[in-house]
Amino acid sequence: MQPKKFDFQLYKKVIQLTRPYRGTLWICAILAVVIAPISSLRPYLVNVMVDDHIMKMDAPGLSQMALLLIGLLIVESFLRYFFIYATGFLGQSVIRDLRSDVFRHITNLRMRYFDKTPIGTSTTRTINDLETINSVFSEGLITIIADILALLAVLVMMFATSYKLTLICLTTMPILLIATYFFKESVRKSFQKVRTQIAVMNAFLQERISGMRIVQIFNAERQEAVKFKKINRDYTKANLDSIFAYALFFPAVEIISAASLGLMVWWGSGWVLESEVTLGALIAFPIYINMLFRPIRMLADKFNTLQMGLVASERVFNLLETPDFISNKGVVKADNIKGAIAFDDVDFAYDTDYPILKKVSFSINAGETLAIVGPTGSGKSTMINLLSRFYERDGGEISVDQIPIEDYELHSLRSKIAVVLQDVFLFSGTILDNISLRNEHISKEQMIQAAKMIHAHEFIMRLPNNYEFHVSERGSNLSMGQRQLISFVRAMVYDPAILVLDEATSSIDNETEAIIQFAIETLIKKRSSIIIAHRLSTIRHANKILVLEHGEVVEFGTHDDLMQRTDGHYRELYENQFLKMVESE
């Protein structure tokens, strides 16, 4: 994909991000204007020193001019320091705020967005693209304007000093402009290739590292290494293309600058002898030439950097403007809900061509336990996602305590629903962090009490540093059973009105299951519970059982009622699966 032409509307949108730091932006602009004429005064002072003092043997005057030149250098150095720091501070401040906005926006997006968007894409937007946007400020239009102002100031001083020498110096300028154009285009294309290849490499690495267990189980290390070698080679080649452009352009600029200097000395020395140009001007012009060619050499690179920053900002703005989030227009607080749950003709589909739930209807009273059984893909977990409003239903109504769940304030509703999943996700941090999720309203004593309720306290106390034990990424340094126990403590400590167990004990051995079974029974006596059944032990105490098949409710009732149906689905599942499990136990 080729970059677009410079988009001033997009740049204006980026600049609007600086509103909280308008004072810093004005400081940057003022410094850019002030530095330009100051920097061009240095060669002028050298000219005066030679013509008015050295040639006239004026030692006191020469000393004064030398001190003035030193003072000017100090002032310019300080101003340039503040300019560089101010532009950097402005960029980092804007990026800090924008990064928080992006993260906040991502955490509020609905699950459907994450279903269709790779994790690497969101990570790139939050880190890489935002860092690229910083270049809009550190090397963007403000610094480009500063360089252009400096060029104009230098040209004015050159013409004021000697128009003849200036015209001689500018004879090589067309060659420089042509070289700059080709350099800019070459670097632009190579940068596009670099970004494409780094995206390919990131995607490859993320997928292979996440699936490293499969790679090693099937001895696929060699094949994957070969694939990565090719990707790595393509990425290296893309970088070398950009390096080649720089390696050609910078020496070319030095040659053109040396040619300009040579022409100036050749013609200027003759004019000095003919008294058409002063010696001071001849000595000052090499400094002018350096000040003229150095910014031109960097301008093309800065324009490319600015363009890449705008491309990245467009991606970030597109993400921020994505309206793919759950609406939160409810005003009812769920602080005192009892937990009566009702589904009334609920329809849902992740993809419109493949409906998952079809006219699902059931209800349970507050404090009752519902067990949901059915084959894989029948829609069991989907019902939980709809209840928690991770997805919006396509039809029908879901209510809690006879109030549609859309009428509840979203965060208030979710705070009263705790879900324990089969695939437990733990964050890098301490066990306390993973239990409370850094909720400052949950005390350590509450967490310890919840751990004791399900007999998790004993295993935690055996760990190094106990509750301060550092959990590795995704809980890799804990067993499956230990991770599951921590997830139960997490659910308990939030004291939900509605408890959901999504096959929460399916990955636990019999001994660990026995440890938490009493806690589960204690929990479901106090609150409404929905259990997606996998083992017989998790369904024994259910008040109602709902049987799903192909997204439809085929049976609903108590265990005894459903077992009385000689040709019923539940009885068939029970006899084919659960009785075998009992015999094995």
Side-chain angles (χ1 to χ4, degrees):
M1 182 182 73
Q2 296 297 325
K4 301 176 181 178
K5 293 182 179 180
F6 189 84
D7 190 337
F8 284 98
Q9 290 299 320
L10 182 59
Y11 185 81
K12 181 180 179 182
K13 199 171 182 179
V14 174
I15 291 298
Q16 287 175 347
L17 296 173
T18 64
R19 284 181 179 177
Y21 311 98
R22 191 170 298 172
T24 305
L25 180 63
W26 276 108
I27 290 174
C28 294
I30 292 171
L31 287 174
V33 174
V34 172
I35 291 173
I38 290 180
S39 61
S40 64
L41 286 176
R42 283 188 283 115
Y44 171 76
L45 292 179
V46 171
N47 185 7
V48 173
M49 290 173 66
V50 172
D51 290 341
D52 294 348
H53 301 285
I54 294 178
M55 299 299 294
K56 297 180 180 180
M57 302 298 180
D58 181 11
L62 180 62
S63 300
Q64 293 178 359
M65 292 300 297
L67 291 174
L68 180 60
L69 181 60
I70 294 172
L72 186 67
L73 285 170
I74 294 174
V75 171
E76 183 186 353
S77 299
F78 272 104
L79 290 177
R80 199 168 293 280
Y81 161 78
F82 285 118
F83 176 73
I84 294 172
Y85 184 85
T87 53
F89 174 82
L90 180 64
Q92 290 298 327
S93 299
V94 170
I95 298 310
R96 177 194 60 202
D97 297 344
L98 191 57
R99 188 182 294 116
S100 297
D101 291 341
V102 171
F103 181 77
R104 189 181 304 111
H105 184 80
I106 290 176
T107 55
N108 284 283
L109 290 171
R110 68 178 75 197
M111 290 299 169
R112 195 182 297 274
Y113 168 84
F114 299 100
D115 292 339
K116 62 184 180 181
T117 305
I119 296 174
T121 299
S122 299
T123 303
T124 300
R125 297 294 176 270
T126 311
I127 300 176
N128 301 78
D129 283 343
L130 287 178
E131 287 301 324
T132 305
I133 294 175
N134 181 45
S135 63
V136 174
F137 301 96
S138 60
E139 300 180 39
L141 200 58
I142 297 177
T143 57
I144 290 174
I145 291 175
D147 287 343
I148 293 175
L149 288 176
L151 284 174
L152 293 175
V154 168
L155 284 173
V156 169
M157 294 301 297
M158 289 175 70
F159 274 105
T161 303
S162 172
Y163 75 91
K164 288 186 176 182
L165 290 179
T166 303
L167 292 175
I168 290 295
C169 293
L170 294 180
T171 54
T172 60
M173 191 61 65
I175 302 175
L176 178 61
L177 294 177
I178 293 172
T180 300
Y181 172 79
F182 282 108
F183 165 75
K184 180 177 73 70
E185 290 301 305
S186 177
V187 170
R188 175 176 61 81
K189 293 176 182 177
S190 62
F191 278 178
Q192 283 290 339
K193 293 179 182 178
V194 168
R195 284 203 309 276
T196 301
Q197 292 303 322
I198 192 62
V200 172
M201 180 179 288
N202 285 338
F204 182 90
L205 286 173
Q206 180 181 343
E207 189 174 41
R208 268 56 181 189
I209 292 174
S210 300
M212 187 55 65
R213 183 184 299 273
I214 300 300
V215 172
Q216 294 186 355
I217 285 175
F218 290 94
N219 294 319
E221 296 94 335
R222 182 174 297 177
Q223 299 94 300
E224 298 303 324
V226 171
K227 294 178 185 177
F228 181 76
K229 186 176 181 179
K230 181 182 183 305
I231 294 173
N232 191 26
R233 185 167 55 247
D234 293 341
Y235 175 61
T236 302
K237 183 180 182 304
N239 276 290
L240 287 175
D241 288 343
S242 64
I243 293 172
F244 178 74
Y246 281 97
L248 281 180
F249 179 68
F250 284 170
V253 173
E254 293 298 328
I255 292 173
I256 296 170
S257 175
S260 177
L261 178 62
L263 290 173
M264 187 275 298
V265 172
W266 176 266
W267 290 96
S269 58
W271 289 332
V272 168
L273 295 176
E274 297 173 1
S275 300
E276 295 184 24
V277 173
T278 66
L279 181 62
L282 187 66
I283 294 175
F285 257 74
I287 305 176
Y288 280 128
I289 292 174
N290 181 57
M291 296 177 65
L292 185 68
F293 279 79
R294 185 178 58 188
I296 293 177
R297 183 179 63 182
M298 302 305 298
L299 274 176
D301 196 26
K302 288 183 178 180
F303 269 116
N304 279 324
T305 303
L306 174 61
Q307 185 78 329
M308 297 307 105
L310 291 181
V311 171
S313 65
E314 185 175 27
R315 294 172 181 164
V316 172
F317 287 140
N318 287 338
L319 172 61
L320 288 174
E321 292 166 2
T322 299
D324 199 8
F325 54 86
I326 298 292
S327 63
N328 186 17
K329 299 179 181 179
V331 295
V332 179
K333 294 294 183 180
D335 298 338
N336 299 313
I337 64 172
K338 304 300 182 183
I341 302 170
F343 277 54
D344 185 13
D345 287 337
V346 174
D347 295 318
F348 177 77
Y350 295 103
D351 188 324
T352 54
D353 295 331
Y354 302 98
I356 302 298
L357 297 181
K358 310 167 190 175
K359 304 296 180 184
V360 172
S361 296
F362 71 88
S363 65
I364 61 172
N365 298 321
E368 289 187 338
T369 298
L370 171 69
I372 306 176
V373 298
T376 300
S378 58
K380 302 186 297 295
S381 297
T382 299
M383 293 172 59
I384 307 308
N385 289 331
L386 295 180
L387 177 63
S388 301
R389 292 198 67 199
F390 295 132
Y391 298 86
E392 298 281 31
R393 70 194 188 285
D394 297 327
E397 183 177 88
I398 304 174
S399 63
V400 174
D401 290 353
Q402 292 79 49
I403 300 175
I405 57 175
E406 292 80 15
D407 292 344
Y408 286 102
E409 198 277 327
L410 182 61
H411 301 291
S412 176
L413 174 67
R414 288 179 178 171
S415 69
K416 293 300 179 181
I417 302 175
V419 181
V420 180
L421 301 172
Q422 175 184 359
D423 184 17
V424 178
F425 192 100
L426 297 183
F427 297 93
S428 178
T430 66
I431 288 182
L432 289 176
D433 292 338
N434 276 280
I435 293 175
S436 67
L437 298 179
R438 299 184 184 274
N439 188 331
E440 59 184 16
H441 299 295
I442 298 176
S443 66
K444 182 177 180 179
E445 290 71 23
Q446 289 175 293
M447 290 184 267
I448 294 175
Q449 183 61 32
K452 288 180 178 179
M453 287 179 62
I454 64 166
H455 298 169
H457 179 72
E458 289 77 7
F459 103 79
I460 294 176
M461 293 303 293
R462 289 195 296 268
L463 295 172
N465 299 322
N466 311 132
Y467 283 87
E468 297 296 334
F469 175 76
H470 186 81
V471 179
S472 300
E473 183 180 2
R474 301 183 69 90
S476 59
N477 56 344
L478 295 174
S479 69
M480 177 65 73
Q482 290 172 331
R483 296 201 294 270
Q484 199 65 270
L485 285 171
I486 291 175
S487 72
F488 269 93
V489 180
R490 179 192 293 169
M492 289 182 183
V493 80
Y494 274 84
D495 191 25
I498 300 173
L499 175 68
V500 177
L501 304 180
D502 189 351
E503 299 191 3
T505 60
S506 62
S507 300
I508 296 179
D509 55 70
N510 292 334
E511 182 180 353
T512 305
E513 184 183 6
I515 294 176
I516 66 174
Q517 191 59 46
F518 175 76
I520 293 176
E521 295 174 6
T522 303
L523 274 175
I524 63 179
K525 289 179 182 178
K526 298 180 180 180
R527 51 185 55 83
S528 300
S529 304
I530 297 178
I531 301 174
I532 296 179
H534 181 79
R535 294 188 178 188
L536 177 62
S537 57
T538 59
I539 197 174
R540 287 172 178 167
H541 304 283
N543 301 104
K544 298 286 179 62
I545 299 170
L546 185 146
V547 183
L548 274 179
E549 189 167 319
H550 303 300
E552 296 179 304
V553 178
V554 293
E555 290 178 345
F556 180 71
T558 66
H559 172 77
D560 294 335
D561 292 339
L562 298 182
M563 287 299 294
Q564 291 177 5
R565 303 180 185 182
T566 57
D567 59 346
H569 289 76
Y570 176 74
R571 179 167 179 167
E572 182 180 355
L573 286 172
Y574 184 85
E575 291 176 346
N576 291 341
Q577 180 183 4
F578 292 150
L579 285 179
K580 292 179 181 179
M581 293 175 63
V582 172
E583 291 173 359
S584 65
E585 293 174 356

